[in-house]
PDB file of all heavy atoms in Angstrom:
ATOM      1  N   ALA V 192      18.540 -10.764  11.399  1.00  0.00           N
ATOM      2  CA  ALA V 192      19.274  -9.945  10.398  1.00  0.00           C
ATOM      3  C   ALA V 192      18.221  -9.082   9.741  1.00  0.00           C
ATOM      4  O   ALA V 192      17.186  -9.579   9.281  1.00  0.00           O
ATOM      5  CB  ALA V 192      19.955 -10.841   9.375  1.00  0.00           C
ATOM      6  N   ILE V 193      18.441  -7.774   9.693  1.00  0.00           N
ATOM      7  CA  ILE V 193      17.430  -6.813   9.333  1.00  0.00           C
ATOM      8  C   ILE V 193      17.552  -6.475   7.847  1.00  0.00           C
ATOM      9  O   ILE V 193      18.532  -5.938   7.393  1.00  0.00           O
ATOM     10  CB  ILE V 193      17.534  -5.557  10.200  1.00  0.00           C
ATOM     11  CG1 ILE V 193      17.473  -5.884  11.688  1.00  0.00           C
ATOM     12  CG2 ILE V 193      16.423  -4.553   9.848  1.00  0.00           C
ATOM     13  CD1 ILE V 193      17.845  -4.734  12.573  1.00  0.00           C
ATOM     14  N   CYS V 194      16.509  -6.809   7.063  1.00  0.00           N
ATOM     15  CA  CYS V 194      16.371  -6.371   5.673  1.00  0.00           C
ATOM     16  C   CYS V 194      17.621  -6.787   4.899  1.00  0.00           C
ATOM     17  O   CYS V 194      18.011  -7.947   4.849  1.00  0.00           O
ATOM     18  CB  CYS V 194      16.034  -4.910   5.598  1.00  0.00           C
ATOM     19  SG  CYS V 194      15.210  -4.443   4.044  1.00  0.00           S
ATOM     20  N   TRP V 195      18.319  -5.786   4.311  1.00  0.00           N
ATOM     21  CA  TRP V 195      19.423  -6.103   3.381  1.00  0.00           C
ATOM     22  C   TRP V 195      20.697  -6.503   4.142  1.00  0.00           C
ATOM     23  O   TRP V 195      21.723  -6.848   3.486  1.00  0.00           O
ATOM     24  CB  TRP V 195      19.694  -4.971   2.414  1.00  0.00           C
ATOM     25  CG  TRP V 195      18.780  -5.055   1.199  1.00  0.00           C
ATOM     26  CD1 TRP V 195      17.567  -5.699   1.151  1.00  0.00           C
ATOM     27  CD2 TRP V 195      19.053  -4.528  -0.097  1.00  0.00           C
ATOM     28  NE1 TRP V 195      17.038  -5.601  -0.138  1.00  0.00           N
ATOM     29  CE2 TRP V 195      17.967  -4.912  -0.915  1.00  0.00           C
ATOM     30  CE3 TRP V 195      20.114  -3.841  -0.677  1.00  0.00           C
ATOM     31  CZ2 TRP V 195      17.871  -4.546  -2.235  1.00  0.00           C
ATOM     32  CZ3 TRP V 195      20.017  -3.473  -1.993  1.00  0.00           C
ATOM     33  CH2 TRP V 195      18.924  -3.815  -2.757  1.00  0.00           C
ATOM     34  N   GLU V 196      20.706  -6.612   5.424  1.00  0.00           N
ATOM     35  CA  GLU V 196      21.782  -7.267   6.138  1.00  0.00           C
ATOM     36  C   GLU V 196      21.819  -8.705   5.680  1.00  0.00           C
ATOM     37  O   GLU V 196      22.907  -9.361   5.754  1.00  0.00           O
ATOM     38  CB  GLU V 196      21.589  -7.213   7.665  1.00  0.00           C
ATOM     39  CG  GLU V 196      21.843  -5.876   8.262  1.00  0.00           C
ATOM     40  CD  GLU V 196      21.762  -5.920   9.775  1.00  0.00           C
ATOM     41  OE1 GLU V 196      20.974  -6.783  10.299  1.00  0.00           O
ATOM     42  OE2 GLU V 196      22.380  -5.138  10.457  1.00  0.00           O
ATOM     43  N   ASN V 197      20.701  -9.263   5.215  1.00  0.00           N
ATOM     44  CA  ASN V 197      20.623 -10.635   4.753  1.00  0.00           C
ATOM     45  C   ASN V 197      21.384 -10.850   3.475  1.00  0.00           C
ATOM     46  O   ASN V 197      21.634 -12.004   3.101  1.00  0.00           O
ATOM     47  CB  ASN V 197      19.170 -11.049   4.633  1.00  0.00           C
ATOM     48  CG  ASN V 197      18.487 -11.226   5.954  1.00  0.00           C
ATOM     49  OD1 ASN V 197      18.689 -12.202   6.625  1.00  0.00           O
ATOM     50  ND2 ASN V 197      17.724 -10.231   6.354  1.00  0.00           N
ATOM     51  N   TYR V 198      21.738  -9.776   2.767  1.00  0.00           N
ATOM     52  CA  TYR V 198      22.626  -9.864   1.600  1.00  0.00           C
ATOM     53  C   TYR V 198      24.082  -9.779   1.928  1.00  0.00           C
ATOM     54  O   TYR V 198      24.915  -9.696   1.079  1.00  0.00           O
ATOM     55  CB  TYR V 198      22.222  -8.791   0.589  1.00  0.00           C
ATOM     56  CG  TYR V 198      20.949  -9.067  -0.157  1.00  0.00           C
ATOM     57  CD1 TYR V 198      19.861  -8.288  -0.005  1.00  0.00           C
ATOM     58  CD2 TYR V 198      20.885 -10.110  -1.068  1.00  0.00           C
ATOM     59  CE1 TYR V 198      18.659  -8.521  -0.718  1.00  0.00           C
ATOM     60  CE2 TYR V 198      19.710 -10.396  -1.812  1.00  0.00           C
ATOM     61  CZ  TYR V 198      18.633  -9.600  -1.611  1.00  0.00           C
ATOM     62  OH  TYR V 198      17.450  -9.847  -2.324  1.00  0.00           O
ATOM     63  N   MET V 199      24.431  -9.708   3.210  1.00  0.00           N
ATOM     64  CA  MET V 199      25.811  -9.635   3.668  1.00  0.00           C
ATOM     65  C   MET V 199      26.305 -11.011   4.093  1.00  0.00           C
ATOM     66  O   MET V 199      25.935 -11.530   5.190  1.00  0.00           O
ATOM     67  CB  MET V 199      25.955  -8.644   4.840  1.00  0.00           C
ATOM     68  CG  MET V 199      25.486  -7.244   4.489  1.00  0.00           C
ATOM     69  SD  MET V 199      25.451  -6.135   5.912  1.00  0.00           S
ATOM     70  CE  MET V 199      27.186  -5.991   6.317  1.00  0.00           C
ATOM     71  N   PRO V 200      27.007 -11.760   3.228  1.00  0.00           N
ATOM     72  CA  PRO V 200      27.346 -13.164   3.518  1.00  0.00           C
ATOM     73  C   PRO V 200      28.079 -13.339   4.841  1.00  0.00           C
ATOM     74  O   PRO V 200      27.812 -14.330   5.549  1.00  0.00           O
ATOM     75  CB  PRO V 200      28.225 -13.567   2.351  1.00  0.00           C
ATOM     76  CG  PRO V 200      27.834 -12.663   1.196  1.00  0.00           C
ATOM     77  CD  PRO V 200      27.504 -11.394   1.894  1.00  0.00           C
ATOM     78  N   LEU V 201      28.997 -12.444   5.195  1.00  0.00           N
ATOM     79  CA  LEU V 201      29.731 -12.636   6.442  1.00  0.00           C
ATOM     80  C   LEU V 201      28.806 -12.407   7.667  1.00  0.00           C
ATOM     81  O   LEU V 201      29.006 -13.043   8.703  1.00  0.00           O
ATOM     82  CB  LEU V 201      30.935 -11.684   6.477  1.00  0.00           C
ATOM     83  CG  LEU V 201      32.018 -11.949   5.451  1.00  0.00           C
ATOM     84  CD1 LEU V 201      33.165 -10.976   5.606  1.00  0.00           C
ATOM     85  CD2 LEU V 201      32.504 -13.378   5.479  1.00  0.00           C
ATOM     86  N   LEU V 202      27.899 -11.458   7.511  1.00  0.00           N
ATOM     87  CA  LEU V 202      26.956 -11.247   8.626  1.00  0.00           C
ATOM     88  C   LEU V 202      26.119 -12.510   8.820  1.00  0.00           C
ATOM     89  O   LEU V 202      25.893 -12.962   9.971  1.00  0.00           O
ATOM     90  CB  LEU V 202      26.067 -10.047   8.339  1.00  0.00           C
ATOM     91  CG  LEU V 202      25.135  -9.577   9.486  1.00  0.00           C
ATOM     92  CD1 LEU V 202      24.948  -8.082   9.445  1.00  0.00           C
ATOM     93  CD2 LEU V 202      23.766 -10.257   9.387  1.00  0.00           C
ATOM     94  N   ARG V 203      25.609 -13.068   7.740  1.00  0.00           N
ATOM     95  CA  ARG V 203      24.844 -14.311   7.871  1.00  0.00           C
ATOM     96  C   ARG V 203      25.650 -15.386   8.543  1.00  0.00           C
ATOM     97  O   ARG V 203      25.191 -16.108   9.428  1.00  0.00           O
ATOM     98  CB  ARG V 203      24.368 -14.784   6.470  1.00  0.00           C
ATOM     99  CG  ARG V 203      23.362 -13.934   5.785  1.00  0.00           C
ATOM    100  CD  ARG V 203      22.533 -14.685   4.770  1.00  0.00           C
ATOM    101  NE  ARG V 203      23.300 -15.567   3.900  1.00  0.00           N
ATOM    102  CZ  ARG V 203      23.631 -15.240   2.643  1.00  0.00           C
ATOM    103  NH1 ARG V 203      23.379 -14.050   2.189  1.00  0.00           N
ATOM    104  NH2 ARG V 203      24.254 -16.126   1.891  1.00  0.00           N
ATOM    105  N   TYR V 204      26.940 -15.491   8.143  1.00  0.00           N
ATOM    106  CA  TYR V 204      27.806 -16.514   8.708  1.00  0.00           C
ATOM    107  C   TYR V 204      27.999 -16.317  10.196  1.00  0.00           C
ATOM    108  O   TYR V 204      28.105 -17.295  10.939  1.00  0.00           O
ATOM    109  CB  TYR V 204      29.132 -16.588   7.942  1.00  0.00           C
ATOM    110  CG  TYR V 204      29.926 -17.815   8.291  1.00  0.00           C
ATOM    111  CD1 TYR V 204      29.631 -19.042   7.739  1.00  0.00           C
ATOM    112  CD2 TYR V 204      30.930 -17.768   9.265  1.00  0.00           C
ATOM    113  CE1 TYR V 204      30.314 -20.197   8.042  1.00  0.00           C
ATOM    114  CE2 TYR V 204      31.643 -18.896   9.599  1.00  0.00           C
ATOM    115  CZ  TYR V 204      31.330 -20.107   8.996  1.00  0.00           C
ATOM    116  OH  TYR V 204      32.069 -21.210   9.329  1.00  0.00           O
ATOM    117  N   SER V 205      28.043 -15.026  10.599  1.00  0.00           N
ATOM    118  CA  SER V 205      28.225 -14.801  12.044  1.00  0.00           C
ATOM    119  C   SER V 205      27.064 -15.321  12.856  1.00  0.00           C
ATOM    120  O   SER V 205      27.226 -15.712  14.048  1.00  0.00           O
ATOM    121  CB  SER V 205      28.415 -13.288  12.299  1.00  0.00           C
ATOM    122  OG  SER V 205      27.192 -12.594  12.178  1.00  0.00           O
ATOM    123  N   LEU V 206      25.872 -15.375  12.249  1.00  0.00           N
ATOM    124  CA  LEU V 206      24.711 -15.901  12.921  1.00  0.00           C
ATOM    125  C   LEU V 206      24.720 -17.470  12.848  1.00  0.00           C
ATOM    126  O   LEU V 206      24.457 -18.143  13.824  1.00  0.00           O
ATOM    127  CB  LEU V 206      23.438 -15.380  12.326  1.00  0.00           C
ATOM    128  CG  LEU V 206      23.258 -13.881  12.359  1.00  0.00           C
ATOM    129  CD1 LEU V 206      21.889 -13.470  11.890  1.00  0.00           C
ATOM    130  CD2 LEU V 206      23.527 -13.292  13.755  1.00  0.00           C
ATOM    131  N   TYR V 207      25.077 -18.017  11.678  1.00  0.00           N
ATOM    132  CA  TYR V 207      25.213 -19.447  11.567  1.00  0.00           C
ATOM    133  C   TYR V 207      26.218 -20.003  12.584  1.00  0.00           C
ATOM    134  O   TYR V 207      25.985 -21.069  13.165  1.00  0.00           O
ATOM    135  CB  TYR V 207      25.665 -19.848  10.163  1.00  0.00           C
ATOM    136  CG  TYR V 207      24.772 -19.471   9.022  1.00  0.00           C
ATOM    137  CD1 TYR V 207      25.329 -19.268   7.747  1.00  0.00           C
ATOM    138  CD2 TYR V 207      23.420 -19.280   9.171  1.00  0.00           C
ATOM    139  CE1 TYR V 207      24.542 -18.932   6.623  1.00  0.00           C
ATOM    140  CE2 TYR V 207      22.599 -18.906   8.050  1.00  0.00           C
ATOM    141  CZ  TYR V 207      23.164 -18.714   6.832  1.00  0.00           C
ATOM    142  OH  TYR V 207      22.423 -18.392   5.762  1.00  0.00           O
TER     143      TYR V 207
END
Side-chain angles (χ1 to χ4, degrees):
I193 305 170
C194 203
W195 274 26
E196 287 184 331
N197 289 281
Y198 284 113
M199 300 172 68
L201 296 182
L202 187 147
R203 294 205 311 262
Y204 191 80
S205 74
L206 302 187
Y207 300 153

